[in-house]
Amino acid sequence: MPGIGIKNIRMGFRNEVTYMVYRAINGLIRHAIESELITNDDVFVVRNQLMDILKLKDWVDAEPLTGTIEQLLEPVIDYAVQSGIIENTSVQRDLFDTRIMGVFTPMPREVNSVFQRKYAVSPISATEWYYTFSKNLNYVRAERIAKDLKWTYESEYGTLDITINRSKPEKDPRDIAAAKTQKTSNYPKCQLCAENMGFTGHLTHPARQNLRPVKLNINNQKWFMQYSPYGYYNEHCIVFNKEHIPMTINAQVFHKLFDFVEQFPHYFIGSNADLPIVGGSILTHEHFQGGSYDFAMAKAPIERTFLLKNYMNVNAGIVKWPMSVIRLSSDNRDSLADACADILSKWRTYTDETVGIFAKTEGIPHNTITPIARATSSGFECDLVLRNNITTKERPLGVFHPNPTLHHIKKENIGLIEVMGLAVLPARLADELAILKDAMLYGKDIATDDKIASHADWIKEILANHAEFDNDNAMDIIRYEVGKVFEQVLEDAGVFKRDKQGKEAFARFVEQLS
């Protein structure tokens, strides 16, 4: 782009922030052209829209700024703060940078057209393009995702993935206070509704000007697919019904899952359970999660096979996994779906008091399934994870939930992603583990520090079991012990425990299926 010289450009600007906004806008325009979000024909329109948003009256072709999307957006947001357009809070900054990227975002018809052209080449071509497109628009916030802490833990059941989410910004107290006074709105009904595409957002609902879900036909219904802004694994996608209907695990869900993997055989797809405690965070809108990643559960072996006499063309077995998993596979999609539905039906009504499994109490159902589907070289495969959400006075968060001694690490519900072997741990642990390391090395009294006191008993056990603990291996040992906690979390969530009594109980249920 033509320039008139940096020294001359700076003359007349009241400060560096004003000067940098012109460079950043030109940098964003260049990024958009190189990413094929816009063409050279669009430059004047895009520039004028950005000038309007930023309330700029004049224009100078400053030298384009170079850098990542976040580096290009930061000067623009700083200018908006300095100019009084927005407050300097995390929510306001996110709302504003999404508004900026919305200017570069094509209309849905254009996105769907390109996706279909790419899909005609191959499903992989379509998803690779769409994922890159989503990152180029900063809808998938790849730079923030890179800040997440990640490591692995070698368990009895395979290599578990451990993540501490640091990508989602914490809300500023000013945003929290302002949100309390904001008028309640029921539009969109939830964050999964199709109406979110292009939505401005507000203090209690994220901006979505740069969101463009692609249309899918799933089991003869209208669905959409998009990627998670803060994905936990490669190409973490969300597939959701166009209609705002609640999550329901029934016979039809298996046809929907297999329909998706038949269209996108390089992706897995799974559904959270449809009951509280063992379900996902949004039970009001039917959706699945998928992507291109091989979880430990998918690689776990069958430790016992069994026959389904009504489905002789379906292979069945119990998976060696800390949770209770039945794996079915077949080259016949319809037979496999029917077999899955049959097991779901039997599990819904199954009670075994000897191991604390009750199908219902006081008319309230407790049994459900977390299903995960994959395409294989010989057909289809589906893992059925048996779930139960019963609670007691002693275990109000759930009997088949992490036990209270583990809550200092993981207290939240165990959803689809964790079921498959990827721990999603709270952001607070990023700071807490670093503080713990120093406290352990210098012999500080952990119980007296409110920020880490909840870990005191756990730390005593770690130090007792690791005489070799020193500055060189401290964090490795702490991370190893976190992995061990996650392994126990999964075992706690299993309805049939891995001990002799649990395995015998699991065998009794399997007998009901034969």
Side-chain angles (χ1 to χ4, degrees), residues 113-133:
S113 177
V114 176
F115 186 81
Q116 290 302 320
R117 287 204 306 271
K118 298 289 184 180
Y119 187 86
V121 176
S122 76
I124 293 177
S125 295
T127 54
E128 283 183 346
W129 171 81
Y130 184 47
Y131 189 59
T132 301
F133 169 80

Side-chain angles (χ1 to χ4, degrees), residues 215-258:
K215 295 189 294 185
L216 300 180
N217 184 310
I218 301 294
N219 200 36
N220 296 318
Q221 293 178 330
K222 294 179 180 180
W223 284 59
F224 288 95
M225 180 174 71
Q226 66 191 52
Y227 289 103
S228 171
Y230 301 101
Y232 295 116
Y233 51 85
N234 186 47
E235 297 180 35
H236 180 177
C237 69
I238 300 170
V239 181
F240 60 98
N241 198 318
K242 182 181 180 182
E243 302 300 323
H244 181 75
I245 58 175
M247 293 280 294
T248 304
I249 303 300
N250 55 22
Q252 286 302 308
V253 79
F254 303 108
H255 292 284
K256 295 171 186 176
L257 295 175
F258 297 145

Side-chain angles (χ1 to χ4, degrees), residues 254-423:
F254 303 108
H255 292 284
K256 295 171 186 176
L257 295 175
F258 297 145
D259 203 12
F260 178 85
V261 295
E262 189 168 59
Q263 294 178 60
F264 301 93
H266 59 298
Y267 274 9
F268 81 90
I269 192 77
S271 173
N272 268 304
D274 55 353
L275 295 178
I277 295 176
V278 296
S281 58
I282 302 179
L283 296 178
T284 58
H285 196 123
E286 185 180 24
H287 70 285
F288 308 138
Q289 295 183 72
S292 178
Y293 193 74
D294 291 326
F295 287 90
M297 191 179 78
K299 294 181 278 190
I302 297 288
E303 61 181 357
R304 178 193 166 186
T305 60
F306 60 91
L307 292 175
L308 297 172
K309 62 183 179 183
N310 293 329
Y311 308 96
M312 296 305 292
N313 58 347
V314 175
N315 300 312
I318 295 174
V319 181
K320 183 181 179 182
W321 192 245
M323 297 183 70
S324 307
V325 184
I326 292 173
R327 179 170 295 159
L328 305 182
S329 62
S330 178
D331 60 1
N332 187 310
R333 171 179 150 175
D334 290 335
S335 292
L336 183 57
D338 290 344
C340 289
D342 196 13
I343 292 175
L344 169 64
S345 177
K346 289 182 170 63
W347 175 245
R348 288 285 194 190
T349 60
Y350 189 77
T351 292
D352 187 338
E353 296 184 15
T354 67
V355 288
I357 296 172
F358 295 86
K360 288 184 178 181
T361 56
E362 299 179 355
I364 299 173
H366 299 301
N367 286 351
T368 185
I369 280 176
T370 298
I372 301 102
R374 295 175 287 270
T376 68
S377 59
S378 57
F380 301 89
E381 181 177 271
C382 191
D383 286 346
L384 306 177
V385 187
L386 308 180
R387 311 298 303 273
N388 180 288
N389 76 342
I390 195 168
T391 61
T392 64
K393 289 182 179 179
E394 297 75 24
R395 298 288 292 274
L397 297 180
V399 172
F400 302 104
H401 184 80
N403 77 74
T405 67
L406 308 178
H407 288 180
H408 65 104
I409 296 293
K410 181 65 174 177
K411 185 178 181 180
E412 299 77 15
N413 295 350
I414 306 305
L416 171 68
I417 295 172
E418 279 128 338
V419 163
M420 296 185 291
L422 192 158

Side-chain angles (χ1 to χ4, degrees), residues 16-30:
E16 187 71 11
V17 173
T18 305
Y19 164 67
M20 286 298 291
V21 75
Y22 289 100
R23 294 195 63 199
I25 290 172
N26 274 337
L28 285 169
I29 290 173
R30 182 166 66 181

Side-chain angles (χ1 to χ4, degrees), residues 3-4 91 160 165 179 181 184 191 195 233 267 294 303 335 339 376 400 411 433 435 440 476 483 495:
I4 61 174
V91 171
L160 303 180
N165 189 331
T181 63
T184 302
Q191 291 188 29
E195 290 84 353
Y233 51 85
Y267 274 9
D294 291 326
E303 61 181 357
S335 292
T376 68
F400 302 104
K411 185 178 181 180
L433 297 186
I435 296 170
M440 294 164 73
D476 288 338
V495 293

